[in-house]
Amino acid sequence: MKLRKLLIQSSIREFQKRGYKGLLGKYLVLSDDDKAKTFENDEKLPSLPVPPLDVTLEKYIQSVKPFATQEELTNVQNLAKEFKNGIGQELHKSLLKKASEEKNWLSGWWEKYAYLMSRDSLIPFYNMFGPNPTEELGLEYGPGKGVEHASLFCHELIKFWFLLRKEKLKPQLGTGDKPFCMHTFKKFFNTARIPGEEIDSIVNYFKTEAEGSCPSHVIVQCNGHIYKMNALHKDSTPLTVGEWKHQFNSILQASSKSKGSGIAALSCEPRSKWAENRSYILQKSAKNKQLIEDIDSAMFSVSLDNTSPTNDSEICQQLISNDYANRYADKSVAVVFFKNGASGGICEHTPFDGMVNVTACFYVLLSLAENLATISEDKTVRDGLEAPVPLEFDTDDQITKELSRAKAEQKISRYEISAIRKAFTGFGKAEITELKLHPDSFVQMALQLAYYTIHNKPAPCYETATTRLFYRGRTETVRSCTLEAFEWSKAMLSSTDNESKRNLLKMCIDKHNELMREAKEAQGIDRHMFGLYIAALEQGLPPPELFVDPLMMRSGGGGNYVLSTSLTGYTPIGGGVGPMVPDGYGVFYNIMPDKIHFTITTRQSSSETNSEKYFQVLCKSLADMRNLYS
């Protein structure tokens, strides 16, 4: 069984019964005898296609129907026709020309316009976050557990770094066992997003062993201090768990003597402001320039926080809301360990999508399940262990003033995103599949029903579909709020008989399955429409009327989805990200055999949304759907 089948299709009953043991090689790690390599298929993948213009426009018209009056629908049909016969035809030709010259006509534009040009703070608004599955391993929270769990987790995460360096992570496969693009795994470690005045950039220091050497240090943040710490010995062997523990304890002791400057807090500001301050810090001295490079090039960041969250909701909230003096937002991967042993991760979204960090976290889970008894007893601290080095920046009154201002503003802004993570325990994947319904589509319909129940209107909904079957493929949008879903939601709150409700639900799920299949084949709506819009922009043309029509935004176009959702798989690994719009929801879920975990985010400033209320109504929606089959 391939990892895809575990993450996307199959039940995890097998590794629940086996306590997660014995599955690392089966799902993730290539044997020494296996000649396959992680990235061997990346250059052989087919080019990303450009869908036919008339097909995309017809799909778009269908997708706006739940949000349109008859007059508005007639208008958008006329606009689509004018677009197809006019400027749209020329823009589409320019996309076809671009696609003939580039194997992925979308990737550069997508990274630039969807990510790097955003100016809001990365934390709490854009970075992905989620708890580590500590309790799945039987590890308990308690006094002094923070360093113990941090040492175990980091020891295994370094193994995943080696796995990518040696290209021994199993290449992942998609539908029909076709190879997935693995390219973004190269951007997981040793990567940072660099702020710019108008647009950011990505710097990546990671290399496979075949490509050359790459940095092997991490940065550790504690009490406003930043330390550089080598994760390997000079002979390139990794630190033992005992050595990680020794280093973390020495950092805790040193950092407890005084509060650090907390210069990392500046990285959590809006991007243009951070660019201005970062530029000033760099110009201050050659030493500062080297320290910034040490941070940017680090394998990952570790934060040792002084709080003790007791459940997944508290972990999620504290990951994005605790003192930003201990968060360096630019790093592609940051792992946060709390005083009581609870922990989680924060990932910058630009270089890769969620399934990359899900895979990394799943590897750590399975590797710890295999090796916990052995490595936890390893207290070895070898001679010559290099002490962590404090990164002390040259500062002045201006930097101090900026830090004071930023910290004062962040006392409020860092709590703008409300995050909860809870489990619906009524049933899970097992019962849904027994009904011969697709679990993901079933949950998507529950999301629609919950929103309609609360707001009495349909919700434009984004669900992530992967396009990794193609060269440098990333994602496409599934517009889950179909006309079928809208009609079914209304029926569920009416006196319609159960048989009719079941039939309508089956139609919704069939439609959703069809949209997901098309999206995975790069035949969705949104990326093509995005390309047409950007083609006009790059040519200095005004936005075509179709794109400024109110229905474009009302149906979710241009990143205006009220429900921003994603399935993170069928493992215990889950997390989330903030909502797309001020009055929206972020809803991310991982489906287990007997329960469904939801990570739900809203904005504190919104008077229309509430994470806890949505979760409660969502649970009722799921139960009501199941009761249709009683």
Side-chain angles (χ1 to χ4, degrees):
M1 185 183 293
K2 306 296 190 292
L3 176 64
R4 172 186 63 85
K5 293 180 181 177
L6 182 69
L7 296 180
I8 305 301
Q9 293 181 348
S10 74
S11 163
I12 61 163
R13 286 192 188 279
E14 178 186 5
F15 66 71
Q16 281 189 322
K17 289 177 181 177
R18 296 171 61 176
Y20 300 95
K21 292 184 179 180
L23 301 173
L24 195 60
K26 183 172 183 180
Y27 291 121
L28 292 174
V29 181
L30 292 167
S31 68
D32 290 339
D33 296 332
D34 199 322
K35 301 302 181 184
K37 292 186 176 181
T38 305
F39 306 107
E40 66 180 8
N41 297 309
D42 285 1
E43 298 303 314
K44 306 172 189 175
L45 294 172
S47 299
L48 187 75
V50 180
L53 180 59
D54 57 342
V55 174
T56 296
L57 292 176
E58 179 55 34
K59 289 179 180 178
Y60 172 69
I61 291 168
Q62 294 299 317
S63 76
V64 304
K65 284 184 176 180
F67 314 98
T69 65
Q70 185 56 52
E71 182 181 353
E72 290 172 327
L73 185 60
T74 300
N75 182 58
V76 80
Q77 288 171 332
N78 291 333
L79 289 176
K81 185 177 180 179
E82 291 172 10
F83 181 74
K84 182 178 71 171
N85 296 329
I87 187 62
Q89 201 171 108
E90 298 306 313
L91 296 175
H92 184 68
K93 286 179 181 177
S94 71
L95 290 188
L96 293 174
K97 183 176 184 298
K98 195 171 194 290
S100 71
E101 299 167 349
E102 304 172 20
K103 287 196 71 175
N104 188 314
W105 61 268
L106 174 67
S107 59
W109 281 354
W110 186 246
E111 187 171 277
K112 176 182 178 181
Y113 290 101
Y115 292 104
L116 297 176
M117 289 189 71
S118 61
R119 299 291 84 197
D120 282 341
S121 306
L122 296 182
I123 303 175
F125 298 112
Y126 289 114
N127 283 12
M128 301 177 283
F129 61 88
N132 292 327
T134 307
E135 293 176 308
E136 293 286 334
L137 292 159
L139 295 173
E140 297 179 352
Y141 300 158
K145 293 291 186 179
V147 165
E148 177 184 329
H149 293 178
S151 303
L152 291 168
F153 189 95
C154 291
H155 180 269
E156 300 307 297
L157 192 56
I158 294 298
K159 288 184 182 178
F160 191 70
W161 180 82
F162 270 114
L163 206 65
L164 294 177
R165 285 270 291 154
K166 297 176 182 294
E167 296 191 69
K168 299 301 286 185
L169 175 67
K170 283 189 176 181
Q172 296 174 353
L173 303 175
T175 304
D177 282 348
K178 295 177 181 177
F180 266 163
C181 180
M182 301 291 288
H183 177 71
T184 53
F185 279 89
K186 287 187 175 182
K187 300 180 182 180
F188 187 68
F189 292 109
N190 302 96
T191 300
R193 175 166 164 171
I194 309 303
E197 184 177 344
E198 296 180 354
I199 182 171
D200 293 358
S201 58
I202 294 292
V203 59
N204 175 232
Y205 295 83
F206 179 84
K207 293 180 180 179
T208 65
E209 287 187 348
E211 294 168 337
S213 60
C214 72
S216 57
H217 65 277
V218 301
I219 61 166
V220 183
Q221 298 174 256
C222 187
N223 197 29
H225 297 273
I226 305 176
Y227 295 83
K228 178 182 177 181
M229 174 185 148
N230 289 326
L232 308 182
H233 287 275
K234 290 180 179 179
D235 62 1
S236 296
T237 56
L239 301 190
T240 65
V241 171
E243 288 165 341
W244 278 101
K245 191 178 295 186
H246 175 85
Q247 300 292 62
F248 285 146
N249 278 324
S250 69
I251 287 171
L252 282 172
Q253 183 177 4
S255 63
S256 67
K257 297 176 182 177
S258 64
K259 180 77 174 177
S261 69
I263 203 163
L266 296 177
S267 74
C268 299
E269 290 223 273
R271 302 305 290 172
S272 296
K273 189 63 181 175
W274 169 221
E276 177 186 332
N277 281 321
R278 185 179 183 275
S279 178
Y280 184 85
I281 291 168
L282 287 170
Q283 293 171 10
K284 181 71 180 171
S285 68
K287 174 188 175 184
N288 283 357
K289 186 176 181 180
Q290 181 59 55
L291 298 186
I292 290 285
E293 184 175 336
D294 287 340
I295 294 171
D296 292 341
S297 62
M299 302 159 88
F300 54 88
S301 166
V302 180
S303 293
L304 302 176
D305 278 18
N306 196 37
T307 57
S308 296
T310 58
N311 56 55
D312 281 353
S313 289
E314 291 181 4
I315 291 171
C316 285
Q317 191 65 64
Q318 292 186 29
L319 284 171
I320 58 174
S321 299
N322 269 10
D323 189 355
Y324 285 175
N326 287 344
R327 301 287 184 271
Y328 202 92
D330 296 354
K331 287 304 296 174
S332 57
V333 180
V335 282
V336 180
F337 297 93
F338 301 97
K339 193 174 182 180
N340 65 340
S343 64
I346 308 173
C347 293
E348 205 283 296
H349 207 333
T350 309
F352 51 84
D353 298 303
M355 295 313 295
V356 174
N357 42 295
V358 165
T359 301
C361 197
F362 188 52
Y363 170 86
V364 171
L365 170 64
L366 293 186
S367 188
L368 281 172
E370 290 283 334
N371 304 303
L372 184 59
T374 303
I375 63 174
S376 60
E377 297 301 318
D378 188 352
K379 298 178 173 58
T380 304
V381 178
R382 285 169 281 185
D383 293 335
L385 183 63
E386 297 181 28
V389 177
L391 304 185
E392 298 176 345
F393 286 84
D394 292 331
T395 62
D396 58 17
D397 289 345
Q398 179 173 330
I399 295 173
T400 301
K401 182 180 178 181
E402 283 296 289
L403 276 168
S404 297
R405 177 197 54 76
K407 291 175 183 178
E409 292 175 359
Q410 288 166 358
K411 286 181 179 179
I412 297 173
S413 65
R414 71 177 194 248
Y415 293 101
E416 171 59 8
I417 300 298
S418 168
I420 65 170
R421 179 168 167 80
K422 295 188 173 184
F424 168 76
T425 57
F427 56 86
K429 181 178 185 289
E431 283 197 33
I432 301 173
T433 52
E434 285 175 5
L435 300 175
K436 301 188 186 310
L437 300 173
H438 195 291
D440 176 56
S441 300
F442 189 91
V443 173
Q444 280 291 318
M445 294 309 108
L447 301 182
Q448 288 294 318
L449 179 55
Y451 186 89
Y452 185 78
T453 301
I454 296 171
H455 299 280
N456 197 34
K457 60 182 179 180
C461 180
Y462 164 98
E463 185 189 5
T464 307
T466 185
T467 55
R468 288 174 60 200
L469 289 171
F470 300 96
Y471 180 83
R472 301 291 192 268
R474 290 189 61 170
T475 63
E476 174 59 282
T477 300
V478 175
R479 294 188 167 210
S480 299
C481 186
T482 58
L483 191 59
E484 291 86 347
F486 182 33
E487 294 300 327
W488 169 76
S489 296
K490 290 190 290 184
M492 285 294 290
L493 300 185
S494 73
S495 58
T496 305
D497 63 273
N498 279 0
E499 183 179 359
S500 297
K501 291 175 181 178
R502 286 196 301 270
N503 291 337
L504 288 170
L505 177 57
K506 181 64 164 57
M507 290 171 62
C508 294
I509 288 179
D510 287 346
K511 181 63 176 179
H512 186 269
N513 293 342
E514 176 189 344
L515 294 177
M516 178 61 76
R517 177 184 55 78
E518 291 175 350
K520 289 179 178 179
E521 294 170 356
Q523 298 298 309
I525 301 168
D526 285 59
R527 298 300 179 266
H528 190 191
M529 295 290 279
F530 167 84
L532 294 166
Y533 178 84
I534 297 301
L537 180 68
E538 295 260 322
Q539 293 173 36
L541 300 173
E545 282 190 63
L546 182 65
F547 291 87
V548 295
D549 175 67
L551 275 178
M552 176 64 73
M553 181 180 291
R554 203 186 309 158
S555 64
N560 288 285
Y561 287 100
V562 173
L563 280 177
S564 174
T565 75
S566 188
L567 167 67
T568 64
Y570 298 90
T571 80
I573 314 302
V577 72
M580 281 192 188
V581 296
D583 290 323
Y585 300 87
V587 188
F588 306 85
Y589 51 96
N590 52 300
I591 305 174
M592 305 286 280
D594 57 352
K595 58 188 172 183
I596 307 169
H597 289 279
F598 291 96
T599 305
I600 303 173
T601 58
T602 52
R603 284 192 179 237
Q604 294 278 17
S605 58
S606 173
S607 60
E608 295 186 20
T609 59
N610 179 279
S611 301
E612 182 62 40
K613 180 179 180 180
Y614 186 83
F615 175 72
Q616 295 301 328
V617 176
L618 177 57
C619 290
K620 184 179 184 303
S621 298
L622 286 162
D624 289 346
M625 291 168 67
R626 179 65 184 87
N627 288 339
L628 294 178
Y629 298 86
S630 298

